Amino acid sequence: MYETLETSRHGGLAQVTLNRPELHNAFNSVLVQELTHVLEAVEHDPSVQVLMLAGAGKSFCAGADTEWMRGMAAASEPENREDALHLARMLRLLHFLSKPTLARVHGAAYGGGIGLIACCDIAIGADSATFALSEVKLGLVPATISPYVMAAIGARQARRLFVTGEVFDAARAAEIGLLHECVPDADLDASIERVLRALHRGAPQARLEAKRLALRVAGLDERESGKVDARNAELIARLRVGEEGQEGLSAFLDKRKPAWLSDEEQA
């Protein structure tokens, strides 16, 4: 049914698997569109009690697809703004979904992949998983995913990871709050099953109200998020067509070092 996703149902569990394993489940416009459609369907399906998000193959989600980035590098600022708003809408749907959401994380989780994790209510990761918010290395920033990442790990951790773009491991991801649990690879599915059993013990309406309670007390308001999305879309669109963004994306696509690195760093 979908080009980039696999979906399945097990009782009240809807499992959505990002299914571009040859590209480490990287985002493109089709994946964003299809995941938006699935989330809308799950939201309005009373038979779905829990949503689980996973990735096929070796990775959870390695951020943006190279060809998608190539297209965005050549696109106008208004086109980039519209593209960012599509991604923002998908993330907002996931974050505020009325059903509990669970991320099964393994392999690489970079950029937008971290955004997906941060949007989920619960995130369990394999201890071999790796993470990075590496946008600054491309002359960009993690604008669209920033509200959800900030809510997950806090401003102090976000400030470091946003500006360094460094890779960190699953133990660190759990320490800063991106993952709720970091478990041995062999125990990942058993840990997921344990959480699913715990979720199914709760009353459906109480689960919904409990999620809304946590979001409300934390000051996260879906009505306000649209304004934040618009500002962040403006920012990422401006950076993509700007000098550093164009150089960073070109360097990445050409497999070379960007011009802002020194001669010594270029070597």
Side-chain angles (χ1 to χ4, degrees):
M1 179 179 178
Y2 294 108
E3 180 182 328
T4 66
L5 305 174
E6 282 189 355
T7 61
S8 61
R9 297 285 186 87
H10 310 282
L13 172 67
Q15 179 169 332
V16 180
T17 303
L18 309 181
N19 191 32
R20 307 183 79 209
E22 71 285 358
L23 298 172
H24 296 274
N25 302 314
F27 283 7
N28 66 1
S29 59
V30 177
L31 188 150
V32 171
Q33 180 181 14
E34 291 186 341
L35 188 50
T36 298
H37 180 269
V38 168
L39 293 171
E40 290 173 334
V42 166
E43 176 64 35
H44 296 101
D45 187 343
S47 70
V48 176
Q49 297 297 308
V50 178
L51 172 75
M52 183 169 77
L53 192 61
K58 295 180 179 179
S59 296
F60 177 72
C61 176
D65 172 276
T66 300
E67 291 306 311
W68 189 28
M69 286 197 292
R70 192 185 304 276
M72 289 301 98
S76 67
E77 187 169 343
E79 288 171 329
N80 269 288
R81 186 186 311 115
E82 189 65 22
D83 173 79
L85 286 171
H86 287 310
L87 177 59
R89 180 167 181 266
M90 182 267 285
L91 292 167
R92 188 165 70 249
L93 282 168
L94 178 59
H95 187 70
F96 290 102
L97 198 75
S98 64
K99 321 294 173 75
T101 53
L102 172 62
R104 179 193 184 279
V105 184
H106 74 292
Y110 293 168
I114 289 183
L116 292 176
I117 296 167
C119 284
C120 287
D121 300 317
I122 303 167
I124 311 296
D127 60 10
S128 62
T130 57
F131 305 81
L133 292 156
S134 54
E135 287 85 350
V136 289
K137 296 178 181 178
L138 303 178
L140 304 174
V141 296
T144 312
I145 64 173
S146 62
Y148 313 109
V149 177
M150 289 277 290
I153 69 175
R156 188 66 173 163
Q157 298 295 343
R159 284 164 65 179
R160 171 175 175 164
L161 296 172
F162 283 11
V163 301
T164 65
E166 64 194 286
V167 176
F168 55 102
D169 62 19
R172 180 67 175 151
E175 181 183 345
I176 65 177
L178 181 63
L179 294 177
H180 290 91
E181 296 180 43
C182 163
V183 300
D185 290 41
D187 297 340
L188 180 58
D189 287 325
S191 298
I192 294 288
E193 286 300 320
R194 174 173 49 78
V195 173
L196 289 173
R197 287 194 298 271
L199 284 169
H200 282 298
R201 293 189 189 104
Q205 187 62 33
R207 281 199 310 255
L208 169 59
E209 294 298 342
K211 178 170 180 173
R212 287 175 174 168
L213 172 65
L215 292 171
R216 184 175 68 252
V217 172
L220 301 171
D221 186 341
E222 186 173 9
R223 293 169 298 179
E224 294 296 317
S225 64
K227 299 175 186 177
V228 176
D229 290 346
R231 290 196 298 269
N232 287 338
E234 292 281 353
L235 172 59
I236 193 61
R238 174 168 56 82
L239 291 176
R240 281 179 183 171
V241 301
E243 183 178 346
E244 283 189 350
Q246 289 288 297
E247 168 60 16
L249 288 168
S250 295
F252 176 79
L253 295 170
D254 296 341
K255 296 181 171 56
R256 61 176 174 80
K257 299 293 185 183
W260 59 76
L261 293 179
S262 68
D263 291 341
E264 185 175 302
E265 290 170 313
Q266 291 271 8

